[in-house]
Amino acid sequence: MSPYMQEVIAMTRRWFQRFKREPMSIIFGLTQPVLWLALFGNSGVTFRNAGAIPGASNYIAFMTGGVVVMTVLNSGLAGGIEMLFDKENGFLERLMAAPIKRSALIISRFLFVTALTGVQALMILGMAFLFGVVPATGWLGVGLILVIGMMLGIGFTAISMALAFSMKGHGGFFALLGFITLPLIFMSSALVPLQSMPGWLSVIAQLNPMTYAIDAVRGLILSGWHISLVKVLIVLAVFDAICLTWSNRILLRGMR
Amino acid sequence: MKTQNVSSTAPRAPTSDRSDRSGGVKPIIKATGLVKRFGKTAAVDGLSLEMYEGEVFGLLGPNGAGKTTTMRMLITLLAPDAGEIVVGGFRVRDDAERVRNLIGYIPQERAVDRALTGREHMALFADLYHLPKAEGEERSAWALHMVGLTDRADEVVANYSGGMKKRLEIACGLIHRPKILFLDEPTLGLDVESRTVIWRHIRELKAEGMTMVMSTNYLDEADQLCDRLAIIDQGKLAALGTPRQLKESLQGDVLSLTPENGDSSVRERLTIALKGLDDVVHVVHRDGAIELRVTPSKTILTRVLDVVNGQGVRLEAIQYTRPSLEKVFIHYTGHQIKDEWA
Ligand SMILES: Nc1ncnc2c1ncn2[C@@H]1O[C@H](COP(=O)(O)OP(=O)(O)OP(=O)(O)O)[C@@H](O)[C@H]1O
Ligand SMILES: [Mg+2]
């Protein structure tokens, strides 16, 4: 095994060990999305403009895509917190004194958060299935939904880690998270489709990478395969590239 | 005087007491003209130090003196604003990773992961130092045993006491057999028993030939453990030498004689007689006693007593004091290391 692999595996293992001691964190990450689903699943709310969304017979099927992506958003943006804790309590410095490549630590965090995000997305799809939502594109579609979720998650995790390294302490970090999460959700197609938004909002929403992921996931659940999926994958790849480049610069500066 | 007192303006601090070392030994760590500023304050201000293989080198100084900052520069974690550091033949600036391979680091703050067990910590660091699996496990067992944590190794660190955490850190720092171990305030905030245990570990490691650089603001710790000491104050080197040299540098020991009747003519007569003796540096009167500064020598006490008897003076009290490191500290920095240390 190459030394680099050994570093990455060891540090990824640490994230899982930490997670194993506090497995409830995956549940907390899911409470908000599950609430959305349960609320709309049980109340039998039907979407008034159902006709406006092809194939959307009920709101819960419509919502599932948004809920998956909201979970990705939450988990991704929380992804940097543990690095911030490490930095605050000196453990990061302890790691940095070892002869390791700095990128190994960053990659280990991405591996862990991405795996976690994938599992959460799968859990939500499972939950939606219990409410009667069956993805139109079958297992292959589920696989692509996970890929889309993970790609979006990587970008958010990168943002989160960069913020963690730019903030003085975790107080400010949490405040900032609370401040940006809701607007990001409202300024996307998570709750309302683009067509039903006021014009100015739909313009903003189209700048939000979440919108692309949500519409793609929604399409895979509600209608089927569509050529626009390629565009979504490209958009997400560009989003990841931008976030990674930016955060990498901040992270490497913070971990000399 | 072997010990040198360095003024802050000296471009280069004294290298070391070469006199008692075999000539021309190359230092294993050589730092020249280190400067580190945080905003306006210069945490380290023109510090030059050399450490030799196999020694325990102490950085002694009060809170905020710049010990941790110095150490963080030596172990590649902080880039100095000015100056040059060579560790084990590698320049820290160019070869940080090679340097990191040589060193172990036990930070001042308890940098352990509360959610991990002791053994999980060891496995992590074994991998970060690229030990093969079998060797990693063997070293992990050895290090845990050495610090007495074998029984608690599978418990999460959240259950450990402060002393146990510190001991775990030492174990983590030792897993890859570092050539040089850096310990930042290894016994800060520990109880007497844990301190003794850690002192014992340090002595054992020294016996195995490990070079150690430790910082402390405990004078007794510096005195007992360190082969050589750098007294650091406000980022500058105030004094350098073995604890013994530093103490001797204070113009010798103090011999205090109190004549039975405090008649000043008796004292004057005695003073004149004593001033003529070899090894007596100077004589002062203090609170009815005569205080002699003497160069330590085997015969000084008997020779002084001969003079006293010869003058027919009877003494009420005799006191012989070696200067403590505390006195040394005050002498070189002009203040006490801590208020409580009075
Ligand atoms: N990251 C930092 N940012 C700003 N100032 C710092 C930083 N690290 C240290 N300092 C300042 O540099 C000076 C030296 O600090 P340092 O931690 O090196 O002292 P020390 O000798 O280790 O003290 P102690 O005995 O309390 O550990 C202090 O004035 C401290 O406030
Ligand atoms: Mg310190």
Side-chain angles (χ1 to χ4, degrees):
Chain A
M1 192 177 3
S2 81
Y4 190 69
M5 280 297 287
Q6 197 176 5
E7 294 163 14
V8 172
I9 291 172
M11 284 186 286
T12 312
R13 186 178 63 215
R14 169 172 173 243
W15 301 124
F16 279 101
Q17 283 165 339
R18 285 177 62 87
F19 175 69
K20 193 175 74 190
R21 304 272 145 68
E22 230 179 276
M24 290 308 277
S25 58
I26 197 170
I27 307 297
F28 293 138
L30 284 175
T31 43
Q32 204 188 343
V34 166
L35 227 75
W36 286 105
L37 277 185
L39 206 63
F40 294 106
N42 287 334
S43 63
V45 176
T46 50
F47 198 46
R48 256 195 250 134
N49 288 346
I53 312 145
S57 52
N58 60 11
Y59 194 56
I60 187 168
F62 169 81
M63 274 297 292
T64 305
V67 170
V68 167
V69 171
M70 270 156 39
T71 312
V72 169
L73 172 75
N74 284 334
S75 295
L77 285 184
I81 290 174
E82 305 221 6
M83 303 272 280
L84 183 55
F85 287 149
D86 272 359
K87 189 178 128 192
E88 279 181 334
N89 69 24
F91 199 73
L92 182 72
E93 184 150 300
R94 186 71 195 73
L95 295 174
M96 293 298 102
I100 56 169
K101 292 272 182 296
R102 280 40 189 149
S103 63
L105 175 61
I106 302 175
I107 286 179
S108 76
R109 192 66 202 158
F110 275 112
L111 287 176
F112 171 77
V113 176
T114 308
L116 189 72
T117 315
V119 171
Q120 284 179 321
L122 208 55
M123 286 170 83
I124 289 169
L125 291 178
M127 206 108 54
F129 180 78
L130 296 181
F131 288 121
V133 178
V134 183
T137 47
W139 283 112
L140 213 58
V142 170
L144 189 58
I145 290 174
L146 295 188
V147 169
I148 290 171
M150 289 178 184
M151 282 179 80
L152 187 68
I154 286 174
F156 286 136
T157 310
I159 293 175
S160 172
M161 290 212 265
L163 289 180
F165 272 78
S166 334
M167 301 299 272
K168 286 241 160 58
H170 65 266
F173 184 80
F174 283 118
L176 188 68
L177 282 197
F179 182 72
I180 62 177
T181 319
L182 272 184
L184 272 175
I185 291 173
F186 285 120
M187 286 182 236
S188 77
S189 55
L191 310 173
V192 183
L194 275 181
Q195 307 92 290
S196 318
M197 282 180 189
W200 62 271
L201 188 58
S202 94
V203 171
I204 297 176
Q206 283 178 70
L207 295 172
N208 185 345
M210 281 172 71
T211 298
Y212 294 86
I214 293 165
D215 289 347
V217 173
R218 195 168 279 157
L220 287 166
I221 293 174
L222 296 178
S223 44
W225 300 98
H226 195 278
I227 184 71
S228 67
L229 287 170
V230 178
K231 182 178 130 196
V232 170
L233 290 178
I234 292 173
V235 168
L236 290 178
V238 171
F239 171 62
D240 283 352
I242 294 171
C243 293
L244 287 173
T245 314
W246 170 67
S247 79
N248 212 36
R249 194 173 308 155
I250 292 180
L251 289 174
L252 293 180
R253 195 175 52 202
M255 298 198 295
R256 218 187 310 273
Chain B
M1 205 77 349
K2 283 181 210 149
T3 310
Q4 290 142 305
N5 190 4
V6 190
S7 82
S8 58
T9 48
R12 290 181 58 128
T15 41
S16 69
D17 47 309
R18 284 303 177 81
S19 48
D20 63 349
R21 299 197 156 270
S22 45
V25 183
K26 268 192 84 164
I28 194 165
I29 300 174
K30 186 176 166 76
T32 330
L34 291 187
V35 176
K36 183 71 200 180
R37 283 185 205 90
F38 293 110
K40 280 208 179 99
T41 51
V44 174
D45 193 1
L47 199 58
S48 297
L49 293 170
E50 286 181 357
M51 290 112 186
Y52 293 89
E53 198 157 347
E55 75 176 344
V56 178
F57 188 94
L59 299 169
L60 177 66
N63 291 143
K67 305 181 293 294
T68 300
T69 307
T70 303
M71 217 177 252
R72 289 177 69 214
M73 290 193 281
L74 295 181
I75 61 173
T76 77
L77 292 182
L78 197 63
D81 294 332
E84 194 64 52
I85 305 169
V86 179
V87 177
F90 302 112
R91 275 152 60 115
V92 161
R93 194 165 5 124
D94 311 328
D95 264 330
E97 211 167 305
R98 293 228 185 87
V99 171
R100 290 181 190 130
N101 263 311
L102 295 178
I103 61 171
Y105 172 45
I106 294 156
Q108 175 173 356
E109 294 161 36
R110 311 266 153 76
V112 284
D113 186 337
R114 294 168 52 83
L116 262 53
T117 68
R119 205 182 302 282
E120 285 166 352
H121 274 86
M122 302 308 289
L124 174 66
F125 284 102
D127 281 333
L128 297 189
Y129 286 95
H130 311 121
L131 301 184
K133 195 168 182 336
E135 191 187 341
E137 279 168 10
E138 181 202 317
R139 290 290 298 169
S140 151
W142 170 84
L144 285 168
H145 177 74
M146 165 159 185
V147 299
L149 284 176
T150 308
D151 293 345
R152 310 285 298 269
D154 293 309
E155 260 178 73
V156 289
V157 167
N159 295 352
Y160 284 18
S161 72
M164 290 165 72
K165 284 181 195 149
K166 198 84 203 185
R167 273 145 62 197
L168 176 63
E169 274 189 2
I170 294 182
C172 289
L174 290 175
I175 192 151
H176 60 296
R177 290 178 212 278
K179 227 173 135 58
I180 312 167
L181 185 63
F182 289 84
L183 304 109
D184 197 353
E185 315 233 9
T187 65
L188 185 71
L190 297 187
D191 65 14
V192 177
E193 198 182 335
S194 305
R195 275 182 92 188
T196 322
V197 172
I198 285 175
W199 286 11
R200 202 186 67 222
H201 295 329
I202 292 175
R203 291 201 180 97
E204 282 168 11
L205 292 168
K206 179 181 155 57
E208 288 173 22
M210 193 180 283
T211 308
M212 277 173 276
V213 178
M214 60 179 282
S215 78
T216 184
N217 54 38
Y218 295 127
L219 293 157
D220 54 339
E221 185 162 283
D223 204 357
Q224 298 227 11
L225 292 179
C226 298
D227 297 315
R228 285 194 313 138
L229 277 177
I231 294 184
I232 296 183
D233 193 38
Q234 296 178 6
K236 297 188 178 84
L237 186 64
L240 180 76
T242 67
R244 200 197 152 106
Q245 286 170 343
L246 288 171
K247 289 181 214 161
E248 286 174 358
S249 71
L250 292 196
Q251 319 276 296
D253 300 352
V254 175
L255 178 55
S256 158
L257 310 170
T258 316
E260 217 170 48
N261 71 41
D263 185 333
S264 68
S265 67
V266 175
R267 268 185 274 150
E268 287 303 334
R269 208 171 69 223
L270 210 49
T271 303
I272 292 164
L274 288 169
K275 269 187 174 155
L277 279 178
D278 275 353
D279 297 326
V280 172
V281 182
H282 71 130
V283 184
V284 290
H285 292 176
R286 179 166 298 166
D287 307 331
I290 302 167
E291 229 179 63
L292 314 180
R293 284 274 182 189
V294 298
T295 319
S297 106
K298 261 188 203 149
T299 55
I300 184 70
L301 204 54
T302 48
R303 282 186 287 126
V304 165
L305 289 181
D306 282 348
V307 171
V308 173
N309 288 337
Q311 296 287 329
V313 178
R314 292 180 60 84
L315 293 178
E316 189 180 293
I318 308 177
Q319 201 180 5
Y320 190 94
T321 16
R322 289 233 118 111
S324 64
L325 211 47
E326 188 195 333
K327 294 246 167 59
V328 172
F329 193 88
I330 295 168
H331 177 82
Y332 283 110
T333 66
H335 55 81
Q336 289 183 333
I337 190 158
K338 269 185 180 174
D339 293 340
E340 312 95 281
W341 275 91

